[in-house]
Amino acid sequence: MESKNSNEKVPNFIRNIIAEDLKNNKNEGRVQTRFPPEPNGYLHIGHAKAICLNFGLAEEFGGKCNLRFDDTNPVKEEDEYANAIEKDVRWLGFDWGEKTYYASDYFEQMYEYAVQLVKAGKAYVDDLSADEIRQYRGTLTQAGVESPYRNRSVEENLDLFERMRKGEFPNGAQVLRAKIDMSSPNLNMRDPVMYRILHAKHHRTGDKWCIYPMYDWAHGLEDSIEGITHSICTLEFEAHRPLYDWFLEQLGVFHPQQIEFARLNLSYTMMSKRKLLQLVEEGHVNGWDDPRMPTISGLRRRGYTPESIRDFAERIGVAKRDSMVDIALLEHCIREDLNKRAPRVMGVLNPLKVIIDNYPENQVDELDAINNPEDPEMGKRKVPFSRELYIERDDFREDPPKKYFRLAPGREVRLRYAYYITCVDVVKDENGEVTEIHCTYDPQTRGGCSPDGRRVKGTIHWVSTPHALDAEIRLYDHLFTKEDPGDVDEGEDFRSNLNPESLKIVSAKVERSLENARVENFYQFERKGYFCVDPDSSKESLIFNRTVTLRDTWAKIEKAQKGKS
RNA sequence: UGGGGCGUCGUCAAGUGGUAAGACACAGGUUUUUGGUACCUGCAUUCGGAGGUUCGAAUCCUCCCGCCCCAGCCA
């Protein structure tokens, strides 16, 4: 399976930086990265990019990658999320050793570092309200104003900070701020808040703390404590780097290098955790693992494999420019993976009854079918054939368009692995709807080829009626109708771009061999696409999710034809 | 009109002074008992624009244009 790594690694700026560092023996040749999610939501394909990047780099350069929960805000974080995140990272195929790291494990040490800064006159307790702090901060073009509390004595600051920790003050009464520069053109440097008072129960430390560190203060410390050599994050943190560096420099501790890259944007979907949460809470989807969601759990349920997602992450590359990756690339990756691995099977999504007039009633023939033409080792199976069959409604046209070479009155086609049949009659109901068609078969063509060598243009799939299994099939399409769901008119939001046809449920007839299908098994329904067994499925009622369709050249031709006429 | 970034094919993306990789998409074609797969061919005389340096520039310099991020006691 690993041998398919024929696509060699393409250079990117982060790889280049690390390779250069290694050449210069920076960090004694050590490479240590980390993936630091906040446990306040589910991971999505954008996180998968970061995970593959961090774990991939570590692996490539003989280093390690930590999984670390950045749990510094107790009001938003929950164990449920932390557990789901661990499961997803593991499912993607990554291993972070025996230890899972938590920012909250460093709270005591962070506090001591803060005291150190206070003693050095580099931090102070501010009594200004949140609102006042905002006003004092100034604007993009206007310098800020120093807080009247900025020059308290070290002793007073020490006393106040300790009492903050003890819980003597209510939420919002004070904050600890770094004393940097209120006139800095970089707003992040205008005396940023290091600690705020939050009387809240933390998912791990419980009620032990009532002051919690802010991201900018905490993150560099977490990295430093763990000996991270390359702290890779997304572009929006670029303006925070001077602060990251400032704290570590003041403390004189190990100083990791922060490197920023552009986050992933995918067409026809969106990555905002907030909006994804909204989709879940408002019921536009059926949970975080809805197969239409770009979450790892959604993709897993949809039938995406870890291999396909890792391949995708490698192919999109890593750079600093904002971009929007075509979701067709993700679809290509899963098709490529499943083409090699998915057993082929026949399933009729929209059944039309076919009666073979000259085939004996009650006769059953067991025909050989190949499980995967891409992999002979997957062997063969028997599929039952009888007088009554189902074929795909779209594989029959009373009035076939040009270049259509499936079934039509008087036409002959091949039933895959079975016989050639010719349509001799069409039966309709009072509305003119075709209810069944009658055909004759050529007994000489068993297996699908004729002794006289005559050729048929079309091969269609089928299922024997008396042997067919019923199955519910969930057909998924893009969640949004626009490449950029955020592209909306005045007064509207991304919800108005929700695709009303993102889920269609059909009752299908599938071949008998699927009776043993188990949850998460994947198949190629020949000529239709790749499907996997949904967790809702049971032996009594089979349920499949369509992962992705097969490429459909005919659909393109027909669309082009319609466009012309 | 402060600061920090970024602009190479429809979409990603290599390239770091020596004369534009690759992938997806798209368009043709070959093979085919999946209109699938595989394979072949085509697809940027040009790198946001204009000047300049150089024998030579996507790569160096200057100016201009466009897009993104920053004013949470979120991360």
Side-chain angles (χ1 to χ4, degrees):
Chain A
M1 205 188 296
E2 208 59 283
S3 65
K4 68 154 212 172
N5 255 345
S6 52
N7 34 1
E8 78 260 17
K9 312 255 185 204
V10 174
N12 65 53
F13 78 102
I14 301 182
R15 270 207 254 263
N16 295 345
I17 288 172
I18 296 180
E20 186 67 18
D21 287 347
L22 247 24
K23 209 173 80 186
N24 298 327
N25 201 33
K26 188 177 174 184
N27 303 307
E28 298 84 45
R30 206 166 48 79
V31 173
Q32 174 75 245
T33 58
R34 105 263 94 118
F35 173 62
E38 182 187 12
N40 69 342
Y42 280 68
L43 260 26
H44 54 60
I45 183 83
H47 293 112
K49 174 182 181 181
I51 293 166
C52 293
L53 216 209
N54 279 292
F55 281 92
L57 252 11
E59 186 177 34
E60 186 179 337
F61 291 101
K64 269 191 63 194
C65 179
N66 294 347
L67 174 64
R68 176 174 76 223
F69 287 105
D70 209 356
D71 53 352
T72 55
N73 185 356
V75 308
K76 289 188 175 178
E77 297 151 5
E78 295 171 22
D79 275 336
E80 178 207 337
Y81 293 127
N83 295 335
I85 288 168
E86 288 199 33
K87 176 181 176 182
D88 288 346
V89 176
R90 213 170 265 127
W91 178 79
L92 272 176
F94 297 104
D95 176 36
W96 57 94
E98 57 308 313
K99 186 170 165 65
T100 298
Y101 295 78
Y102 295 85
S104 51
D105 284 344
Y106 312 137
F107 282 172
E108 188 63 46
Q109 189 164 358
M110 287 177 185
Y111 179 84
E112 282 161 21
Y113 278 137
V115 168
Q116 190 180 321
L117 278 202
V118 171
K119 284 181 177 164
K122 301 290 176 112
Y124 63 98
V125 173
D126 196 347
D127 295 2
L128 252 28
S129 69
D131 209 46
E132 289 166 326
I133 286 182
R134 189 182 325 119
Q135 280 162 12
Y136 276 70
R137 185 152 34 225
T139 67
L140 294 180
T141 52
Q142 223 175 70
V145 176
E146 296 185 353
S147 164
Y149 304 98
R150 196 175 199 257
N151 293 310
R152 292 216 251 227
S153 69
V154 167
E155 291 67 33
E156 187 179 5
N157 281 320
L158 244 23
D159 174 59
L160 253 14
F161 186 43
E162 190 181 340
R163 289 164 60 196
M164 279 170 66
R165 175 182 182 168
K166 282 182 178 159
E168 291 187 22
F169 310 111
N171 288 358
Q174 278 96 6
V175 290
L176 183 74
R177 289 231 253 172
K179 191 189 282 190
I180 307 181
D181 178 7
M182 288 306 290
S183 62
S184 171
N186 180 346
L187 304 215
N188 298 124
M189 300 298 272
R190 319 241 264 226
D191 288 12
V193 172
M194 294 164 64
Y195 277 95
R196 76 284 214 186
I197 299 173
L198 241 33
H199 291 273
K201 195 178 188 78
H202 186 275
H203 77 118
R204 296 190 76 242
T205 60
D207 294 320
K208 183 174 179 193
W209 295 87
C210 62
I211 57 170
Y212 290 92
M214 297 287 290
Y215 171 87
D216 284 312
W217 166 242
H219 206 85
L221 296 181
E222 297 160 23
D223 288 340
S224 179
I225 290 166
E226 292 174 19
I228 302 300
T229 55
H230 303 269
S231 178
I232 300 165
C233 62
T234 44
L235 250 29
E236 67 270 26
F237 293 104
E238 208 151 20
H240 294 246
R241 189 175 356 118
L243 223 200
Y244 182 100
D245 291 337
W246 189 88
F247 282 131
L248 294 174
E249 203 160 301
Q250 297 308 312
L251 261 13
V253 295
F254 177 71
H255 194 150
Q257 177 183 7
Q258 176 176 304
I259 302 169
E260 311 85 10
F261 71 98
R263 64 194 316 155
L264 170 68
N265 293 299
L266 242 200
S267 59
Y268 298 102
T269 187
M270 112 308 249
M271 290 323 161
S272 156
K273 264 195 204 175
R274 203 201 97 236
K275 291 176 183 167
L276 256 18
L277 209 211
Q278 194 178 351
L279 289 177
V280 172
E281 289 186 333
E282 294 178 0
H284 297 109
V285 296
N286 304 311
W288 284 100
D289 70 341
D290 186 298
R292 291 167 291 184
M293 291 281 274
T295 50
I296 305 293
S297 53
L299 290 165
R300 174 167 60 232
R301 189 166 180 179
R302 176 75 168 260
Y304 274 80
T305 58
E307 291 84 351
S308 68
I309 293 172
R310 280 188 259 129
D311 182 35
F312 173 74
E314 184 58 37
R315 287 183 189 233
I316 57 178
V318 179
K320 295 195 71 157
R321 64 183 91 105
D322 293 311
S323 63
M324 164 93 70
V325 174
D326 192 338
I327 197 166
L329 179 59
L330 215 211
E331 294 170 347
H332 169 80
C333 291
I334 187 59
R335 283 194 189 103
E336 189 176 76
D337 189 30
L338 258 19
N339 174 52
K340 291 188 220 111
R341 307 201 290 159
R344 302 308 104 133
V345 101
M346 292 197 281
V348 177
L349 304 193
N350 190 7
L352 171 62
K353 187 180 283 188
V354 174
I355 295 163
I356 314 290
D357 291 337
N358 60 339
Y359 196 87
E361 287 193 49
N362 302 322
Q363 181 171 313
V364 176
D365 192 358
E366 297 279 338
L367 298 156
D368 284 320
I370 294 167
N371 287 332
N372 188 347
E374 303 292 319
D375 181 5
E377 302 217 332
M378 291 177 76
K380 293 179 177 177
R381 70 186 184 286
K382 296 285 187 188
V383 290
F385 181 86
S386 69
R387 188 169 192 269
E388 273 195 32
L389 314 169
Y390 292 113
I391 64 166
E392 209 68 61
R393 193 160 277 274
D394 193 45
D395 286 341
F396 172 79
R397 299 285 176 88
E398 237 192 316
D399 185 19
K402 276 199 184 90
K403 288 188 181 167
Y404 181 88
F405 42 81
R406 275 113 91 149
L407 206 55
R411 289 220 192 158
E412 183 174 53
V413 298
R414 171 170 37 234
L415 291 178
R416 174 136 241 225
Y417 298 127
Y419 297 93
Y420 289 8
I421 59 169
T422 303
C423 176
V424 294
D425 197 15
V426 181
V427 180
K428 299 186 209 174
D429 64 16
E430 59 274 16
N431 301 319
E433 184 93 349
V434 176
T435 54
E436 62 178 49
I437 60 175
H438 284 72
C439 296
T440 56
Y441 84 114
D442 178 353
Q444 300 286 305
T445 58
R446 184 173 190 277
C449 47
S450 63
D452 64 6
R454 76 177 185 277
R455 307 188 70 82
V456 291
K457 289 151 289 186
T459 299
I460 64 175
H461 58 99
W462 53 276
V463 172
S464 165
T465 300
H467 304 90
L469 264 34
D470 289 308
E472 171 181 325
I473 304 208
R474 299 172 181 174
L475 305 171
Y476 296 103
D477 197 357
H478 300 152
L479 226 202
F480 294 94
T481 53
K482 285 191 179 170
E483 271 195 20
D484 174 10
D487 175 18
V488 291
D489 292 332
E490 229 4 80
E492 298 189 323
D493 66 24
F494 69 99
R495 282 115 104 216
S496 49
N497 286 328
L498 243 10
N499 178 8
E501 307 202 322
S502 62
L503 168 60
K504 284 187 199 161
I505 298 178
V506 299
S507 301
K509 299 289 185 182
V510 301
E511 70 170 66
R512 190 183 54 185
S513 71
L514 254 11
E515 66 190 350
N516 296 317
R518 300 233 299 260
V519 172
E520 284 192 12
N521 281 175
F522 47 77
Y523 300 91
Q524 183 196 98
F525 285 15
E526 295 213 30
R527 304 207 305 134
K528 300 307 305 184
Y530 296 98
F531 297 77
C532 69
V533 182
D534 188 84
D536 288 346
S537 187
S538 69
K539 191 119 190 170
E540 296 69 46
S541 62
L542 282 171
I543 302 174
F544 292 93
N545 295 321
R546 182 174 68 196
T547 306
V548 67
T549 61
L550 250 30
R551 285 185 60 214
D552 189 348
T553 307
W554 165 246
K556 273 184 201 168
I557 294 171
E558 193 172 34
K559 196 176 169 190
Q561 284 179 354
K562 280 180 181 160
K564 271 180 208 156
S565 60

